[in-house]
Amino acid sequence: MTLVVQKYGGSSVADAECVQRVARRVVAAREAGHDVVVVVSAMGDTTDELLDLADRISTGPAGRELDMLLTAGERVSMALLAMAVTELGHHATSFTGAQAGMITDAVHGRARIVEVVPDRIRAALAAGSVVIVAGFQGVSQDTRDVTTLGRGGSDTTAVALAAALDADLCEIYTDVDGVFTADPRIVPAARALSEVGYDEMLELAAHGAKILHSRCVEYAKRYRVPLRVRSSFADDIGSAAAHAGTRITPTKEGTPTKEGTTAPAMEAPLISGIAHDRGRSKITVVGVPDKPGAAAVVFGALADAGCDIDMIVQNASTEATDCTDISFTLPASGTEPALEALRRIQQDTGFPALRLDDRVGKLSVVGLGMRSHPGVSATLFSALADTGVNIQMISTSEIRTSVVVHADDIEAAARAVHTAFGLDSERPEAVVHGGTGR
Ligand code: ASP
Ligand code: MG
């Protein structure tokens, strides 16, 4: 008998019918002879709606109360799904994160998992029950208060449970048929990937691909959890071949050569996929004195304010002034705290001005094959040039090249780059089954 962990996102349990469809899928896995643990998100846009409610009542709700509120969303789903499975003639037991043994630190809103103690889950499985767990939540080791893992955290719950239970497979069910070479909502010619490495998936997730939470991929990589992303809508119960989704697998590191070095894997595709992130801001600190310690002060202030920044670019200083401009990008939602933090150090640091562009987006191409292939930047930049898209910033890692462009150019840029790297499929493959994209 194998143990399967299945996670269903908000759009997969958006209403009663959806919950019943998920129940049928769960029961199919159970009847195929598997032990089944299910992790659910809150129904549809519930989490956003609860946040909107809190926003109308409080200007700065305490993290503890916000977590109390938000964890209620997942409790609704878990109880309804347990009822739906029971209606189909199987035994089901639901557990909150705390009951499931998800022990976290006490940082409300973005708690880290410190331990998973799934004793009650094991006992329920042994008693023949399907187990249903509320995603995205845990309980603090120190305060015993309920915590949340951060937006999209149910993926992480599923992978953490799969690791703790030594599951044979962790399936992440969502509203598209797996991981695509680009977001099929904006690149209709995107192709489904049958397989992608943990490292490429991590880069895609960290740079805007919304299909998986990057923390969940990190966790899966660390504990080698076999992961599969697939659609909960495709009508493939019982037909194994259809819409098998995408397997997330150990990255192919290539085979050792005689010299003992590692040659790039021959089959590594040049580009695995393209991620985009529309909601970013660019801040330029103008005229920072070009001397040791200046950048440390600027980024120290940003770190203290909890700003999540990337893509730092420092220009060469001009000889006349001995000053330099430093630009960086950050999520648009973090703009105000960043500007405030910088204004506080403006006098002492002695830079004359700050410039803000809150209409930028980031496009990233990711692929293991980039390591051994020098032409990637040239192909990327000329595709953007041919589309008339101006590049504002560039950054690279071993397996990724990212550019910052105007937010309005993101979609055209993504399509052009997808074509330029030969990723387009001949016929549309992607069906987006649900989700409001909120
Ligand atoms: N319901 C939470 C959210 O919307 C957690 C999740 O969906 O994974 O962020
Ligand atoms: Mg959600």
Side-chain angles (χ1 to χ4, degrees), residues 75-143:
R75 285 180 77 141
V76 171
S77 316
M78 76 179 196
L80 290 175
L81 182 58
M83 293 175 202
V85 170
T86 307
E87 282 302 313
L88 296 177
H90 284 262
H91 198 271
T93 317
S94 67
F95 292 110
T96 65
Q99 291 171 329
M102 300 291 301
I103 315 293
T104 72
D105 62 19
V107 184
H108 287 291
R110 52 189 167 90
R112 311 283 310 184
I113 298 166
V114 294
E115 205 186 349
V116 182
V117 193
D119 297 347
R120 294 190 68 180
I121 297 183
R122 282 205 190 91
L125 289 174
S129 192
V130 168
V131 169
I132 301 171
V133 179
F136 160 72
Q137 55 181 270
V139 62
S140 158
Q141 197 174 30
D142 307 323
T143 62

Coordinates of all heavy atoms in Angstrom, one line a residue, residues 75-143:
R75 N -10.3 25.8 7.7 CA -11.2 24.9 8.5 C -12.5 24.6 7.8 O -13.0 23.5 7.9 CB -11.4 25.5 9.9 CG -10.2 25.5 10.8 CD -10.5 26.1 12.1 NE -11.3 25.2 12.9 CZ -11.1 25.1 14.3 NH1 -10.1 25.8 14.9 NH2 -11.8 24.2 15.0
V76 N -13.0 25.6 7.2 CA -14.3 25.5 6.4 C -14.1 24.4 5.4 O -14.9 23.4 5.3 CB -14.7 26.8 5.8 CG1 -15.9 26.6 4.9 CG2 -15.1 27.8 6.9
S77 N -13.1 24.5 4.6 CA -12.8 23.5 3.5 C -12.6 22.1 4.0 O -13.2 21.2 3.5 CB -11.6 23.9 2.7 OG -11.5 25.2 2.4
M78 N -11.9 22.0 5.1 CA -11.5 20.6 5.6 C -12.8 19.9 6.1 O -12.9 18.7 5.8 CB -10.4 20.7 6.6 CG -10.9 21.1 8.0 SD -9.5 21.1 9.2 CE -10.5 21.2 10.7
A79 N -13.6 20.7 6.8 CA -14.8 20.0 7.3 C -15.8 19.6 6.2 O -16.3 18.5 6.2 CB -15.5 20.9 8.3
L80 N -15.9 20.5 5.2 CA -16.9 20.2 4.1 C -16.4 19.0 3.3 O -17.1 18.1 2.9 CB -17.0 21.4 3.2 CG -17.8 22.6 3.9 CD1 -17.8 23.8 2.9 CD2 -19.3 22.2 4.2
L81 N -15.0 19.0 3.1 CA -14.5 17.9 2.3 C -14.7 16.5 3.1 O -15.0 15.5 2.5 CB -13.0 18.1 1.9 CG -12.4 17.0 1.1 CD1 -13.2 16.8 -0.2 CD2 -11.0 17.4 0.8
A82 N -14.5 16.6 4.4 CA -14.6 15.4 5.2 C -16.1 14.9 5.1 O -16.3 13.7 4.9 CB -14.3 15.6 6.7
M83 N -17.0 15.8 5.1 CA -18.4 15.4 4.9 C -18.7 14.8 3.6 O -19.4 13.8 3.4 CB -19.3 16.7 5.1 CG -19.3 17.2 6.5 SD -20.3 18.8 6.5 CE -19.7 19.5 8.0
A84 N -18.1 15.5 2.5 CA -18.3 15.0 1.2 C -17.8 13.6 1.0 O -18.4 12.7 0.3 CB -17.7 16.0 0.2
V85 N -16.6 13.3 1.6 CA -16.0 12.0 1.4 C -16.9 11.0 2.2 O -17.1 9.9 1.7 CB -14.5 12.0 2.0 CG1 -14.0 10.5 2.1 CG2 -13.6 12.8 1.1
T86 N -17.4 11.4 3.3 CA -18.2 10.5 4.1 C -19.5 10.1 3.3 O -19.9 9.0 3.3 CB -18.6 11.1 5.5 OG1 -17.4 11.5 6.1 CG2 -19.3 10.2 6.4
E87 N -20.0 11.1 2.6 CA -21.2 10.9 1.8 C -21.0 9.8 0.8 O -21.9 9.1 0.3 CB -21.6 12.2 1.1 CG -22.4 13.2 2.0 CD -23.6 12.6 2.6 OE1 -24.4 12.0 1.8 OE2 -23.9 12.7 3.8
L88 N -19.7 9.7 0.3 CA -19.4 8.7 -0.7 C -19.1 7.3 -0.1 O -18.5 6.4 -0.8 CB -18.2 9.2 -1.6 CG -18.5 10.5 -2.4 CD1 -17.3 10.9 -3.1 CD2 -19.7 10.2 -3.4
G89 N -19.3 7.2 1.2 CA -19.2 5.9 1.8 C -17.8 5.6 2.4 O -17.5 4.4 2.7
H90 N -17.0 6.6 2.5 CA -15.7 6.3 3.1 C -15.5 7.1 4.4 O -16.1 8.2 4.6 CB -14.6 6.7 2.2 CG -14.4 5.7 1.1 ND1 -13.5 4.7 1.1 CD2 -15.1 5.5 -0.1 CE1 -13.6 4.0 0.0 NE2 -14.6 4.4 -0.7
H91 N -14.7 6.6 5.3 CA -14.5 7.3 6.6 C -13.5 8.4 6.3 O -12.5 8.2 5.7 CB -14.0 6.3 7.6 CG -14.1 6.8 9.0 ND1 -13.2 7.6 9.6 CD2 -15.2 6.7 9.9 CE1 -13.6 7.9 10.8 NE2 -14.8 7.4 11.0
A92 N -13.8 9.6 6.9 CA -12.8 10.7 6.7 C -12.7 11.5 8.0 O -13.7 11.6 8.7 CB -13.3 11.6 5.6
T93 N -11.5 11.9 8.4 CA -11.3 12.7 9.6 C -10.6 14.0 9.2 O -9.5 13.9 8.6 CB -10.5 12.0 10.6 OG1 -10.9 10.6 10.7 CG2 -10.6 12.6 12.0
S94 N -11.1 15.1 9.7 CA -10.3 16.4 9.4 C -9.5 16.8 10.6 O -9.9 16.5 11.8 CB -11.3 17.5 9.0 OG -12.1 17.8 10.1
F95 N -8.4 17.5 10.3 CA -7.6 18.0 11.4 C -7.1 19.4 11.1 O -6.8 19.7 9.9 CB -6.3 17.2 11.5 CG -6.5 15.8 12.0 CD1 -6.4 14.7 11.2 CD2 -6.9 15.5 13.4 CE1 -6.6 13.4 11.7 CE2 -7.1 14.2 13.8 CZ -6.9 13.1 13.0
T96 N -7.1 20.3 12.1 CA -6.5 21.6 11.9 C -5.0 21.4 11.8 O -4.5 20.3 12.1 CB -6.8 22.5 13.1 OG1 -6.1 22.0 14.2 CG2 -8.3 22.7 13.4
G97 N -4.3 22.5 11.5 CA -2.8 22.4 11.4 C -2.2 21.9 12.8 O -1.4 21.1 12.8
A98 N -2.8 22.5 13.8 CA -2.3 22.2 15.2 C -2.5 20.7 15.5 O -1.6 20.0 16.0 CB -3.0 23.1 16.2
Q99 N -3.7 20.2 15.2 CA -4.1 18.8 15.4 C -3.2 17.9 14.6 O -2.9 16.8 15.0 CB -5.5 18.5 15.1 CG -6.5 19.2 16.1 CD -7.9 19.1 15.7 OE1 -8.2 19.1 14.5 NE2 -8.8 19.1 16.7
A100 N -2.8 18.4 13.4 CA -2.0 17.5 12.5 C -0.6 17.5 12.9 O 0.2 16.8 12.3 CB -2.2 18.0 11.1
G101 N -0.2 18.4 13.9 CA 1.2 18.4 14.4 C 2.1 19.3 13.6 O 3.3 19.0 13.6
M102 N 1.6 20.3 13.0 CA 2.4 21.3 12.3 C 2.9 22.3 13.3 O 2.2 23.3 13.6 CB 1.6 22.0 11.2 CG 1.1 21.1 10.1 SD 2.3 20.4 9.1 CE 3.1 21.8 8.5
I103 N 4.1 22.1 13.8 CA 4.6 22.9 14.9 C 5.5 24.0 14.2 O 6.4 23.7 13.4 CB 5.5 22.1 15.9 CG1 4.8 20.8 16.3 CG2 5.9 23.0 17.1 CD1 3.6 21.0 17.1
T104 N 5.3 25.3 14.6 CA 6.0 26.4 13.9 C 6.6 27.3 15.0 O 6.4 27.1 16.2 CB 5.0 27.2 13.1 OG1 4.2 28.0 14.0 CG2 4.1 26.4 12.2
D105 N 7.3 28.3 14.5 CA 7.8 29.3 15.4 C 6.6 30.3 15.6 O 5.5 30.0 15.1 CB 9.0 30.1 14.8 CG 8.8 30.7 13.5 OD1 7.6 31.0 13.1 OD2 9.8 31.0 12.8
A106 N 6.9 31.4 16.3 CA 5.7 32.3 16.7 C 5.6 33.5 15.8 O 4.9 34.5 16.2 CB 5.9 32.7 18.1
V107 N 6.2 33.5 14.6 CA 6.1 34.6 13.7 C 4.8 34.6 12.9 O 4.6 33.9 11.9 CB 7.3 34.7 12.7 CG1 7.3 36.0 11.9 CG2 8.6 34.6 13.5
H108 N 3.8 35.4 13.4 CA 2.5 35.4 12.8 C 2.6 35.9 11.4 O 3.3 36.8 11.1 CB 1.5 36.3 13.6 CG 1.1 35.6 14.9 ND1 0.3 34.4 14.9 CD2 1.4 35.8 16.2 CE1 0.2 34.1 16.2 NE2 0.8 34.9 17.0
G109 N 1.8 35.3 10.5 CA 1.7 35.7 9.1 C 2.8 35.1 8.2 O 2.6 35.0 7.0
R110 N 3.9 34.6 8.8 CA 4.9 33.9 8.0 C 5.7 33.0 8.9 O 7.0 33.1 8.9 CB 5.8 34.9 7.2 CG 6.4 36.0 8.0 CD 7.1 37.1 7.1 NE 7.4 38.2 8.0 CZ 8.5 38.4 8.6 NH1 9.5 37.5 8.5 NH2 8.7 39.5 9.4
A111 N 5.0 32.2 9.6 CA 5.7 31.3 10.5 C 6.5 30.2 9.7 O 6.1 29.8 8.6 CB 4.6 30.6 11.3
R112 N 7.6 29.8 10.3 CA 8.4 28.7 9.7 C 8.1 27.4 10.5 O 7.9 27.4 11.7 CB 9.9 29.0 9.9 CG 10.4 30.3 9.5 CD 10.5 30.6 8.1 NE 11.3 29.5 7.3 CZ 11.5 29.7 6.0 NH1 11.1 30.8 5.3 NH2 12.2 28.8 5.3
I113 N 8.1 26.3 9.7 CA 7.8 25.0 10.4 C 9.1 24.6 11.1 O 10.2 24.6 10.6 CB 7.5 24.0 9.3 CG1 6.2 24.4 8.5 CG2 7.4 22.6 9.9 CD1 6.0 23.6 7.3
V114 N 8.9 24.2 12.4 CA 10.1 23.8 13.1 C 10.1 22.2 13.3 O 11.1 21.6 13.4 CB 10.3 24.5 14.5 CG1 10.6 25.9 14.3 CG2 9.1 24.3 15.4
E115 N 8.9 21.7 13.3 CA 8.8 20.2 13.5 C 7.4 19.8 13.0 O 6.4 20.5 13.1 CB 8.9 19.9 15.0 CG 9.4 18.5 15.3 CD 9.3 18.2 16.8 OE1 9.1 19.2 17.6 OE2 9.5 17.1 17.1
V116 N 7.3 18.6 12.5 CA 6.0 18.0 12.1 C 5.9 16.7 12.9 O 6.7 15.8 12.8 CB 6.0 17.7 10.6 CG1 4.6 17.2 10.2 CG2 6.3 19.0 9.8
V117 N 4.8 16.7 13.7 CA 4.6 15.5 14.6 C 3.2 14.9 14.2 O 2.2 15.2 14.9 CB 4.6 15.9 16.1 CG1 4.7 14.7 17.0 CG2 5.7 16.8 16.4
P118 N 3.1 14.1 13.2 CA 1.8 13.7 12.6 C 1.2 12.5 13.3 O 0.7 11.6 12.6 CB 2.1 13.5 11.1 CG 3.6 13.0 11.1 CD 4.2 13.6 12.3
D119 N 1.3 12.4 14.6 CA 0.9 11.2 15.3 C -0.6 10.9 15.1 O -1.0 9.8 14.8 CB 1.1 11.3 16.9 CG 2.6 11.4 17.2 OD1 3.4 11.2 16.3 OD2 2.9 11.8 18.3
R120 N -1.4 12.0 15.2 CA -2.9 11.7 15.0 C -3.2 11.3 13.6 O -4.1 10.6 13.3 CB -3.6 13.0 15.4 CG -3.5 13.3 16.9 CD -4.4 14.4 17.3 NE -5.8 14.0 17.3 CZ -6.9 14.8 17.6 NH1 -6.6 16.0 18.0 NH2 -8.1 14.3 17.5
I121 N -2.4 11.9 12.6 CA -2.6 11.5 11.2 C -2.3 10.0 11.1 O -3.1 9.2 10.5 CB -1.7 12.3 10.3 CG1 -2.1 13.8 10.3 CG2 -1.9 11.8 8.8 CD1 -1.3 14.7 9.4
R122 N -1.2 9.6 11.6 CA -0.8 8.1 11.5 C -1.9 7.2 12.1 O -2.3 6.2 11.5 CB 0.5 7.9 12.2 CG 1.7 8.3 11.4 CD 2.9 7.5 11.7 NE 4.1 8.2 11.1 CZ 4.8 9.1 11.6 NH1 4.6 9.5 12.9 NH2 5.8 9.6 11.0
A123 N -2.4 7.6 13.3 CA -3.4 6.8 14.0 C -4.7 6.8 13.1 O -5.3 5.7 13.0 CB -3.7 7.4 15.3
A124 N -5.1 7.9 12.5 CA -6.3 7.9 11.7 C -6.2 7.0 10.5 O -7.1 6.3 10.1 CB -6.7 9.3 11.4
L125 N -5.0 7.1 9.9 CA -4.7 6.3 8.7 C -4.8 4.8 9.1 O -5.4 4.0 8.4 CB -3.3 6.6 8.1 CG -3.2 8.0 7.4 CD1 -1.7 8.2 7.0 CD2 -4.1 8.1 6.1
A126 N -4.2 4.5 10.2 CA -4.1 3.1 10.6 C -5.5 2.6 10.9 O -5.8 1.4 10.7 CB -3.3 3.0 11.9
A127 N -6.4 3.5 11.3 CA -7.8 3.1 11.6 C -8.6 3.1 10.3 O -9.8 2.9 10.3 CB -8.4 4.1 12.6
G128 N -8.0 3.3 9.1 CA -8.6 3.2 7.8 C -9.3 4.5 7.4 O -10.1 4.4 6.4
S129 N -9.0 5.6 8.0 CA -9.6 6.8 7.6 C -8.9 7.6 6.5 O -7.7 7.5 6.4 CB -9.7 7.7 8.8 OG -10.6 8.8 8.6
V130 N -9.6 8.3 5.7 CA -9.0 9.3 4.8 C -8.7 10.5 5.8 O -9.6 10.9 6.6 CB -9.9 9.7 3.7 CG1 -9.4 11.0 3.0 CG2 -10.1 8.6 2.7
V131 N -7.5 11.1 5.7 CA -7.2 12.2 6.5 C -7.2 13.5 5.8 O -6.7 13.6 4.7 CB -5.8 12.0 7.2 CG1 -5.4 13.3 7.9 CG2 -5.9 10.9 8.2
I132 N -7.9 14.5 6.3 CA -8.0 15.8 5.6 C -7.4 16.9 6.6 O -7.9 17.0 7.7 CB -9.4 16.1 5.3 CG1 -9.9 15.0 4.3 CG2 -9.6 17.5 4.6 CD1 -11.3 15.0 4.0
V133 N -6.5 17.6 6.1 CA -5.7 18.6 6.9 C -5.9 20.0 6.4 O -5.8 20.2 5.2 CB -4.2 18.2 7.0 CG1 -3.5 19.2 7.8 CG2 -4.0 16.8 7.5
A134 N -6.1 21.0 7.3 CA -6.2 22.4 6.9 C -4.8 22.9 6.5 O -3.9 22.8 7.3 CB -6.8 23.2 8.0
G135 N -4.7 23.4 5.3 CA -3.4 23.9 4.9 C -3.0 25.2 5.5 O -3.8 25.8 6.2
F136 N -1.7 25.6 5.3 CA -1.3 27.0 5.5 C -1.2 27.4 7.0 O -1.0 28.5 7.3 CB -2.3 27.8 4.7 CG -2.5 29.3 5.0 CD1 -1.5 30.2 4.7 CD2 -3.7 29.8 5.4 CE1 -1.7 31.6 4.9 CE2 -3.9 31.1 5.6 CZ -2.9 32.0 5.3
Q137 N -1.4 26.4 7.9 CA -1.5 26.8 9.3 C -0.7 25.8 10.2 O -0.5 24.7 9.9 CB -2.9 26.9 9.8 CG -3.7 25.6 9.5 CD -5.2 25.7 10.0 OE1 -5.5 25.5 11.1 NE2 -6.0 26.2 9.1
G138 N -0.4 26.3 11.4 CA 0.3 25.5 12.4 C 0.0 26.1 13.7 O -0.9 26.9 13.9
V139 N 0.8 25.6 14.7 CA 0.7 26.2 16.0 C 2.1 26.4 16.6 O 3.0 25.7 16.3 CB -0.1 25.2 16.9 CG1 0.6 23.8 17.1 CG2 -0.3 25.8 18.3
S140 N 2.2 27.6 17.3 CA 3.6 27.9 17.7 C 4.0 27.1 18.9 O 3.2 26.8 19.9 CB 3.6 29.4 18.2 OG 4.6 29.6 19.1
Q141 N 5.2 26.6 18.8 CA 5.8 25.8 19.9 C 5.8 26.6 21.2 O 5.6 26.0 22.3 CB 7.2 25.6 19.4 CG 8.0 24.6 20.0 CD 9.4 24.5 19.3 OE1 9.9 25.5 18.8 NE2 10.0 23.3 19.3
D142 N 6.1 27.9 21.1 CA 6.3 28.7 22.3 C 5.0 29.2 22.9 O 4.7 29.1 24.1 CB 7.2 29.8 22.0 CG 8.5 29.4 21.4 OD1 9.0 28.3 21.8 OD2 9.0 30.0 20.5
T143 N 4.2 29.9 22.0 CA 3.0 30.6 22.5 C 1.7 29.7 22.5 O 0.7 30.1 23.1 CB 2.8 31.9 21.7 OG1 2.5 31.4 20.4 CG2 4.0 32.8 21.7

